[in-house]
Amino acid sequence: MVKKVLTWGGIAFLVFFIAYRPDSAADVFQSLGSTVGDIARGFGDFFTGLLA
């Protein structure tokens, strides 16, 4: 029950955030995407160094 409430609350917050602050939402998602890219690049560098 708690998981369902938190899930729907999170979805509602995302919709509200995107609807009322689209520029800030875009910045947050761009930052998250950049972070995921950095992590992937780090794993790639690690495995390249491991196999080289």
Side-chain angles (χ1 to χ4, degrees):
M1 181 67 179
V2 173
K3 184 178 178 181
K4 184 184 273 188
V5 170
L6 290 175
T7 299
W8 283 108
I11 291 170
F13 175 75
L14 284 175
V15 169
F16 175 81
F17 187 57
I18 291 169
Y20 287 99
R21 301 225 183 237
D23 291 335
S24 297
D27 290 341
V28 168
F29 282 104
Q30 184 178 17
S31 176
L32 287 174
S34 176
T35 300
V36 170
D38 290 342
I39 291 170
R41 191 172 308 109
F43 275 112
D45 291 344
F46 170 75
F47 285 113
T48 299
L50 190 63
L51 297 174

